[in-house]
Amino acid sequence: MTENEATIVIDNNAKAAVFFGNGDENFKYLKELCSAELSARGSQINIKGKKEDVNLTFDLIQNLLDVVESEGQLTINDINYMSNLLKKGDKSKHQDIVSGTILKTVRGKSIKAKTIGQKRYIEAIIKDDVVFGIGPAGTGKTYLAVVMAVRSLKNREVERIILVRPAVEAGEKLGFLPGDFIEKVNPYLRPLYDSLFDILGVEITERYLEKNIIEVAPLAYMRGRTLNDAFIILDEAQNTTPQQMKMFLTRLGFGSKAVITGDITQVDLPKDEYSGLIEIQKILGQVKGISFEYLTKEDVIRHPLVQKIIDAYESYEDQNK
């Protein structure tokens, strides 16, 4: 068998240091990931192996160097995502995938779309007044919705943000938790607080909560209200009933925008209840001005094992249907 070779030289030391990672962790991970044989001498990378493996690895490294050039950093998630795209035959470059900076956190960190799915999701939120973000854990659907809500508030497109979650028990009983109803549902609202703290900081978030510029509430508190000039997010929407989903969607007032997020593979409703998020796709799928954006395991921006866990569950469930 003829062995093919290719060489890539990184043009400066700072770029090389980011590409290789602390203790060469990025390069070590690449060596395990790629079918071609990889070696390095200084800032020169040598690739050997079958022609198709060499070509794929060469394209991957070039794409990762684009990430370094654009972002000034490189993560294992970046490596996994670009590798999966190329293996599927998608030749998208980094600049085609990421959005511009949507917002900067209180610590000055730029928030951008990291995947094609996330970019589509953000574009839909900008374009349409009602957007459904459906996908597995770790795809950024809730976090990005909160980012877009804060962005709208800062741009004075809305006057307030309302973050809503159904208080559905995921294997635990609310009755056994101490405190009144609000104290009992607070653990369910915690992920929304965490997103706000990361984006705005604790001090500004608490000030906005005190002034009711930001409201975090259980879904039951939405009945009978009309919400004008607000950015409303319904999180964990797979745990709404069809009646609750209809109730929530009909709260939308003038100048408002709603983003509904959920994972239809993780429904915690009682077995005799049907998920409103599953049903609503059939009811509103063809309505103009409403978008359904589907994020997949390829959009997961968490520990690389999360994607493998999702794969394993999908395989197990397929075998046991």
Side-chain angles (χ1 to χ4, degrees):
M1 182 189 73
T2 305
E3 194 169 69
N4 287 263
E5 296 185 23
T7 300
I8 295 173
V9 179
I10 304 175
D11 53 19
N12 68 63
N13 291 336
K15 194 173 172 181
V18 173
F19 174 81
F20 283 98
N22 291 332
D24 288 345
E25 64 177 355
N26 289 340
F27 192 66
K28 287 172 184 173
Y29 187 75
L30 263 176
K31 287 173 78 171
E32 290 178 12
L33 186 70
C34 296
S35 298
E37 181 187 327
L38 282 174
S39 60
R41 187 167 187 170
S43 60
Q44 179 175 304
I45 302 165
N46 302 307
I47 311 165
K48 290 182 182 178
K50 294 179 187 175
K51 184 178 179 180
E52 58 269 28
D53 293 337
V54 169
N55 290 342
L56 190 65
T57 303
F58 184 90
D59 288 344
L60 174 59
I61 291 172
Q62 292 288 15
N63 278 2
L64 295 177
L65 289 171
D66 285 344
V67 176
V68 173
E69 186 79 44
S70 172
E71 305 296 320
Q73 62 176 15
L74 184 68
T75 67
I76 299 299
N77 278 319
D78 294 324
I79 295 169
N80 277 328
Y81 186 67
M82 297 307 298
S83 173
N84 288 334
L85 280 183
L86 286 169
K87 284 175 182 174
K88 290 193 303 180
D90 190 326
K91 297 285 187 177
S92 296
K93 300 294 183 186
H94 178 66
Q95 55 267 33
D96 301 324
I97 296 165
V98 297
S99 64
T101 297
I102 309 162
L103 195 70
K104 287 199 172 184
T105 69
V106 70
R107 294 186 298 277
K109 174 189 163 190
S110 291
I111 302 171
K112 303 178 181 182
K114 298 272 190 181
T115 70
I116 292 169
Q118 287 187 354
K119 190 175 183 181
R120 280 200 314 265
Y121 179 45
I122 288 164
E123 287 169 349
I125 294 172
I126 292 169
K127 179 174 69 78
D128 291 321
D129 285 340
V130 177
V131 175
F132 291 83
I134 299 171
T139 51
K141 52 191 187 297
T142 301
Y143 184 79
L144 288 173
V146 175
V147 167
M148 294 302 288
V150 172
R151 180 177 181 261
S152 292
L153 185 66
K154 288 192 169 188
N155 290 344
R156 301 191 175 181
E157 295 163 4
V158 296
E159 293 179 358
R160 57 191 173 139
I161 296 169
I162 301 171
L163 307 174
V164 184
R165 261 192 166 204
V168 172
E169 303 157 24
E172 298 174 29
K173 297 294 181 188
L174 279 174
F176 291 108
L177 295 173
D180 61 21
F181 181 67
I182 286 293
E183 288 172 319
K184 286 181 178 183
V185 298
N186 255 339
Y188 294 92
L189 306 174
R190 188 81 242 167
L192 298 172
Y193 286 113
D194 289 343
S195 296
L196 288 168
F197 291 158
D198 184 61
I199 297 160
L200 288 170
V202 175
E203 189 178 323
I204 293 173
T205 300
E206 288 180 346
R207 192 189 321 145
Y208 282 179
L209 286 165
E210 283 171 18
K211 292 183 176 180
N212 221 30
I213 295 168
I214 296 177
E215 179 184 349
V216 185
L219 180 59
Y221 278 39
M222 293 297 105
R223 191 172 297 279
R225 299 177 64 180
T226 301
L227 306 171
N228 295 318
D229 301 310
F231 195 118
I232 314 144
I233 298 170
L234 173 58
D235 190 33
E236 296 289 338
Q238 75 275 7
N239 290 330
T240 61
T241 64
Q243 294 80 12
Q244 287 174 326
M245 179 64 77
K246 181 181 178 183
M247 180 272 288
F248 172 80
L249 291 171
T250 52
R251 300 308 93 205
L252 197 66
F254 291 107
S256 289
K257 189 180 282 279
V259 178
I260 300 96
T261 68
D263 177 359
I264 54 176
T265 69
Q266 293 194 28
V267 176
D268 298 313
L269 291 166
K271 288 186 180 177
D272 58 341
E273 292 275 14
Y274 191 58
S275 169
L277 184 60
I278 293 173
E279 183 188 70
I280 204 70
Q281 297 170 79
K282 303 168 191 171
I283 298 170
L284 299 181
Q286 304 303 315
V287 176
K288 286 188 177 179
I290 297 176
S291 287
F292 285 84
E293 294 300 325
Y294 295 90
L295 296 154
T296 68
K297 62 193 176 193
E298 279 79 24
D299 298 299
V300 169
I301 307 293
R302 282 189 183 170
H303 193 290
L305 278 175
V306 173
Q307 201 173 93
K308 292 181 180 178
I309 290 166
I310 293 167
D311 284 339
Y313 268 102
E314 284 179 357
S315 176
Y316 176 80
E317 285 161 5
D318 286 344
Q319 289 170 18
N320 289 277
K321 273 182 182 175

